[in-house]
Amino acid sequence: MNYTMKISSSPHIRDKETTTNIMGTVIVALMPATIYGVYNFGLHAAFVICLTIACCVIFEAAYEKMLGLKNTVKDLSAVLTGLLLALNLPPEVPFWIPVIGSFFAIIVVKQLFGGLGQNFMNPALGARCFLLISFTGRMTTFTYDAVTTATPLANLKAGESVDVFAMFFGATAGTIGETSALALMIGGLFLIVRRVINFRIPAFYIGSFTVFIMIYAIVSGRGVDCSYLLAHLCGGGLMLGAFFMATDYVTSPITPNGKIIFGIFLGLLTFLFRIYGGSAEGVSYAIIIGNLIVPLIERITVPKAFGKGAVKHE
């Protein structure tokens, strides 16, 4: 009797989780930071979030419709991209900023490179960096309590004192979703407990950054300054980047050792950008540069195939 066998491509071991479930879980994890961002900055922040999500969904659906591609809106990846981009925007940006950012994230970074799973950098962060370069004034103007002010990290870089407790809870100026370290940590721990993300990248990212900052504080004469360290940990979107964007499945390493190297590399870059760069932030640029070297990291950390290198004995 003849049998016809069909052999599928890898992966051969599959999980019950779907893309929609994973994206939905991440969106739920972002709700504490999102809700607090709206509470902190008001209805205009809510409008920016809704507009950015809507634009991302519309651009993805329109692009796939024009090219006759399968509609992927239901997998919620465009919704998540829109939410992440919105949380990285100042609350008072004019409406056309989210529209341009959404187009760049979905069309340029994601779809032109093949869609979900093919993008070479995080779409939301790629769009944010594009907006920062193109519209620096609009993207670095922050209003809090009706007063235009600098972010806490900008004040820290200028040698001024900052309120660490306000930064931890979120009562400060900044982008919509980055101000409350507490809300972001709650969401990040939720993702780790649900095993949606691996602990290695955020742990080694935050951990290595902590080491570099403490070494710098000691060498520069500050001594063991815990308030200085905590200000850096709570500000500049570090928690948002570490838990929600550095851990992106597509643009982060899949090997355990690769995740560790990736996290340490991000910690080093963020430290260099914040301390020696012109900007007080650094997280966004650190992550997209890290995304570019992920193939190299995976090449040097991929485990040896079973039986490879074995010596045949006669």
Side-chain angles (χ1 to χ4, degrees):
M1 184 179 293
N2 296 325
Y3 294 93
T4 301
M5 301 183 68
K6 295 181 179 180
I7 302 176
S8 64
S9 60
S10 61
H12 301 294
I13 300 176
R14 301 180 184 273
D15 192 272
K16 294 181 180 180
E17 286 285 1
T18 64
T19 300
T20 303
N21 289 342
I22 292 171
M23 298 296 172
T25 303
V26 178
I27 291 170
V28 170
L30 282 167
M31 283 301 101
T34 303
I35 293 169
Y36 184 82
V38 173
Y39 166 79
N40 199 28
F41 297 112
L43 290 178
H44 195 276
F47 170 75
V48 170
I49 293 170
C50 294
L51 176 62
T52 311
I53 292 173
C55 287
C56 283
V57 170
I58 291 170
F59 285 135
E60 179 151 309
Y63 181 88
E64 291 170 340
K65 179 70 174 179
M66 287 189 296
L67 295 187
L69 303 174
K70 178 183 177 181
N71 186 294
T72 59
V73 169
K74 292 182 180 179
D75 67 15
L76 298 181
S77 63
V79 174
L80 179 57
T81 296
L83 179 57
L84 284 171
L85 176 56
L87 297 182
N88 276 281
L89 295 176
E92 297 295 330
V93 291
F95 76 91
W96 50 269
I97 290 284
V99 176
I100 294 175
S102 299
F103 179 88
F104 190 88
I106 296 298
I107 304 300
V108 178
V109 180
K110 183 180 178 182
Q111 292 296 346
L112 290 183
F113 285 87
L116 182 65
Q118 305 299 319
N119 45 284
F120 67 101
M121 68 172 63
N122 184 286
L125 280 186
R128 188 200 182 193
C129 291
F130 168 75
L131 293 172
L132 278 169
I133 294 170
S134 303
F135 312 105
T136 306
R138 297 281 189 177
M139 290 292 293
T140 56
T141 299
F142 300 95
T143 302
Y144 190 70
D145 284 341
V147 177
T148 300
T149 182
T151 63
L153 279 189
N155 291 330
L156 189 68
K157 193 177 182 70
E160 301 175 13
S161 61
V162 296
D163 187 340
V164 175
F165 284 100
M167 295 176 69
F168 179 72
F169 289 106
T172 63
T175 65
I176 295 171
E178 75 176 8
T179 57
S180 178
L182 175 61
L184 292 166
M185 289 170 66
I186 291 172
L189 291 175
F190 172 74
L191 292 181
I192 292 174
V193 171
R194 287 293 305 273
R195 296 185 178 181
V196 172
I197 64 173
N198 186 280
F199 75 94
R200 288 181 177 86
I201 291 176
F204 281 91
Y205 185 179
I206 297 170
S208 62
F209 178 75
T210 298
V211 171
F212 293 133
I213 285 293
M214 289 307 296
I215 292 174
Y216 171 77
I218 294 170
V219 171
S220 63
R222 289 179 175 271
V224 183
D225 190 343
C226 292
S227 62
Y228 180 73
L229 169 63
L230 290 173
H232 272 287
L233 291 177
C234 294
L238 179 64
M239 296 300 167
L240 179 60
F243 286 110
F244 294 98
M245 290 179 287
T247 54
D248 176 32
Y249 286 6
V250 179
T251 56
S252 63
I254 60 174
T255 60
N257 288 336
K259 293 178 187 294
I260 294 172
I261 294 173
F262 185 64
I264 295 173
F265 181 72
L266 296 183
L268 175 61
L269 280 186
T270 303
F271 163 74
L272 292 175
F273 287 148
R274 283 193 180 181
I275 302 303
Y276 299 106
S279 171
E281 312 297 340
V283 172
S284 298
Y285 290 113
I287 294 176
I288 64 170
I289 292 174
N291 293 159
L292 299 179
I293 70 161
V294 165
L296 177 60
I297 292 175
E298 293 194 324
R299 180 176 297 180
I300 64 177
T301 59
V302 64
K304 185 178 292 186
F306 181 74
K308 185 176 181 180
V311 178
K312 182 179 180 181
H313 298 281
E314 297 295 338

